[in-house]
Amino acid sequence: MKRLKKLIFLSLLVSIGLALGVVESMMPVPFIVPGAKLGLSNMVILITLVLFGFKEAMIVGILKSIIFTLIAGSVSSLFYSLSGFLLSCLTMYIVYRNFSEVFSLIGVSIFGSVAHNFAQIIVASIMMNNIKVFSYLPILLLTSLFTGYFIGLTSIFAIKNLKNF
């Protein structure tokens, strides 16, 4: 029964991540860098990482990326999504596991946001065969401080309530 509850909860996290991703893709973000978003669905990854661990966070993130691509995106968006997720999840795991006494979940989220943007810029540079894409990186890194803070703060609230549940 415990395994079934875990599977259902992880399925709900994938669904919530998809819903947040769809809502976020419909929101116009007037920003100087094309494709910049809040990263609301990354909150699900951070929550999964804290509540269940790295393996489960990887599974939820990969499923979310693949299913979201099937619903709303193109194959090229899958490369951006997966690369950003993989580096972000790995970074958040390392920071959370090794430096949780130094960084709160807000700090962990900011590291994840920075890694996500960095990975996506690398993929964009490779796909476009243009290194000038890195000129967007300083703006994205500054933005990731704010988005990472927001996602971390929201995740703290959600995790507190989920642990009580």
Side-chain angles (χ1 to χ4, degrees):
M1 186 67 167
K2 187 176 180 182
R3 181 178 159 101
L4 180 61
K5 282 184 180 181
K6 179 180 175 183
L7 186 61
I8 291 169
F9 198 84
L10 290 173
S11 299
L12 285 172
L13 286 170
V14 171
S15 300
I16 292 168
L18 284 170
L20 288 171
V22 169
V23 167
E24 187 177 36
S25 71
M26 292 188 295
M27 291 180 357
V29 179
F31 199 65
I32 194 167
V33 180
K37 295 189 235 176
L38 287 173
L40 295 174
S41 61
N42 293 334
M43 179 184 355
V44 172
I45 305 304
L46 184 56
I47 291 169
T48 307
L49 184 66
V50 170
L51 293 180
F52 294 101
F54 180 70
K55 183 177 111 179
E56 289 81 359
M58 292 294 284
I59 291 168
V60 167
I62 290 170
L63 286 173
K64 181 189 72 75
S65 294
I66 291 171
I67 296 170
F68 184 76
T69 299
L70 293 173
I71 292 172
S74 63
V75 176
S76 63
S77 68
L78 179 64
F79 294 122
Y80 290 107
S81 177
L82 278 178
S83 66
F85 154 71
L86 290 171
L87 188 59
S88 172
C89 189
L90 183 63
T91 302
M92 287 191 299
Y93 172 70
I94 290 169
V95 173
Y96 180 71
R97 185 164 187 253
N98 299 319
F99 303 105
S100 60
E101 65 278 350
V102 178
F103 297 108
S104 69
L105 285 184
I106 293 171
V108 172
S109 177
I110 290 171
F111 273 100
S113 182
V114 167
H116 190 91
N117 285 328
F118 191 71
Q120 286 190 332
I121 286 291
I122 290 172
V123 169
S125 176
I126 292 169
M127 289 180 78
M128 293 178 193
N129 198 18
N130 188 349
I131 199 160
K132 293 179 182 177
V133 175
F134 278 93
S135 64
Y136 287 125
L137 191 58
I139 298 167
L140 284 173
L141 293 180
L142 182 62
T143 304
S144 66
L145 295 175
F146 297 105
T147 59
Y149 182 86
F150 174 74
I151 297 302
L153 192 62
T154 310
S155 297
I156 289 170
F157 177 75
I159 289 168
K160 280 182 184 176
N161 287 310
L162 287 172
K163 282 185 176 179
N164 291 337
F165 180 67

